[in-house]
Amino acid sequence: MGIARSFGKAYLKAQDAVDKPIPREGTAIVDLETLRRLSESEEDLSDLVETAERHFDVRTLAEFDDLIGAVQSGEVDFILSRDRGLLEVAGEEVVTYFSTVPSARAALEAIVTKDEPLDVAALSERPTEKRRWGFRRSRGIRPE
């Protein structure tokens, strides 16, 4: 779990904490074709490309003569795709990838926050919300 003032920074911290850091620069493969097929609607995905281009040298699958070889040799740092073969190699080579539109957006939002402060604070200093767990008014059940 990552806690921060913004979702992007919290996600970045969470990924770092589980030893799955999100690269903040390098070469990225953005495979819009497979991501588009996963999109629940005909949503515009240009924001993914635009954000990625601000931080990475963005390439498409077709721009590589040997895509798998490029991933294996360390030429690729970040992948947004759903291509199964590509993701299998990314997993083997420990290359960070995101294979859904929401996860790609979350990763890019996290990258945008790279220069924000870490926002470290004790839990006792963070705002809290007090609620009774399990109390359901709709069924007339009252806490003991």
Side-chain angles (χ1 to χ4, degrees), residues 23-31 48-61 63-64 67 70 74-80 108 111 114:
R24 290 143 175 107
E25 60 186 13
T27 299
I29 293 174
V30 178
D31 177 14
L48 292 176
V49 177
E50 291 168 9
T51 304
E53 285 176 338
R54 279 187 248 133
H55 302 279
F56 296 97
D57 172 24
V58 173
R59 315 264 308 270
T60 64
L61 300 178
E63 292 181 61
F64 290 92
L67 179 60
E75 295 175 47
V76 177
D77 304 290
F78 185 71
I79 299 171
L80 301 179
L108 292 171
I111 292 167
K114 69 180 181 175

Side-chain angles (χ1 to χ4, degrees), residues 4-67:
R5 294 183 196 277
S6 70
F7 169 77
K9 193 62 167 189
Y11 191 65
L12 187 67
K13 288 171 60 176
Q15 289 295 110
D16 285 345
V18 296
D19 203 25
K20 301 281 186 195
I22 300 170
R24 290 143 175 107
E25 60 186 13
T27 299
I29 293 174
V30 178
D31 177 14
L32 287 179
E33 283 308 307
T34 59
L35 289 175
R36 242 186 221 109
R37 280 184 262 153
L38 286 173
S39 177
E40 293 180 11
S41 63
E42 294 297 318
E43 67 185 301
D44 180 16
L45 302 179
S46 61
D47 63 311
L48 292 176
V49 177
E50 291 168 9
T51 304
E53 285 176 338
R54 279 187 248 133
H55 302 279
F56 296 97
D57 172 24
V58 173
R59 315 264 308 270
T60 64
L61 300 178
E63 292 181 61
F64 290 92
D65 292 328
D66 179 12
L67 179 60

Side-chain angles (χ1 to χ4, degrees), residues 86-137:
L86 177 60
L87 298 183
E88 285 177 4
V89 173
E92 292 168 3
E93 299 299 324
V94 194
V95 173
T96 301
Y97 68 87
F98 294 91
S99 60
T100 66
V101 172
S103 67
R105 282 206 167 96
L108 292 171
E109 186 175 335
I111 292 167
V112 169
T113 69
K114 69 180 181 175
D115 295 327
E116 290 180 10
L118 276 178
D119 193 31
V120 177
L123 287 176
S124 60
E125 296 175 14
R126 296 204 175 263
T128 61
E129 181 180 315
K130 294 185 181 189
R131 269 196 263 183
R132 293 185 177 193
W133 287 84
F135 179 63
R136 296 179 286 192
R137 291 177 194 227

